[in-house]
Amino acid sequence: MQITYDPDRDILQIAFNQRDVDETARVSPNLILDYDEDGLIVGLELRHASKRVDNPMSFTFTVGDADVEKPQP
């Protein structure tokens, strides 16, 4: 997994693997998902990141239980 923040464009990108992007879909005005040729999500892009996360230049990686109690789509 690779996390990239471009402060000049205020874009945060997360690549889950190194597969080629075959299709891109805008999920909401500032959230874009990238898919491989099999339709699997390989990455995401968050635009105007500094307005949506506490600090796009810092992150914490945690291994533990997922929050399964949050609202589901």
Side-chain angles (χ1 to χ4, degrees), residues 59-65:
F59 72 94
T60 302
F61 181 81
T62 304
V63 175
D65 294 332

Side-chain angles (χ1 to χ4, degrees), residues 2 51 68:
Q2 179 177 346
K51 297 177 184 172
V68 296

Side-chain angles (χ1 to χ4, degrees), residues 10-50:
D10 198 17
I11 296 174
L12 179 70
Q13 295 174 321
I14 302 173
F16 300 117
N17 53 53
Q18 297 300 314
R19 294 188 189 120
D20 290 334
V21 175
D22 186 62
E23 182 180 343
T24 299
R26 186 177 304 272
V27 177
S28 67
N30 297 299
L31 179 61
I32 298 166
L33 296 180
D34 295 327
Y35 299 89
D36 67 8
E37 63 181 302
D38 296 323
L40 300 173
I41 296 173
V42 295
L44 64 85
E45 179 175 296
L46 182 62
R47 301 214 170 172
H48 306 288
S50 64

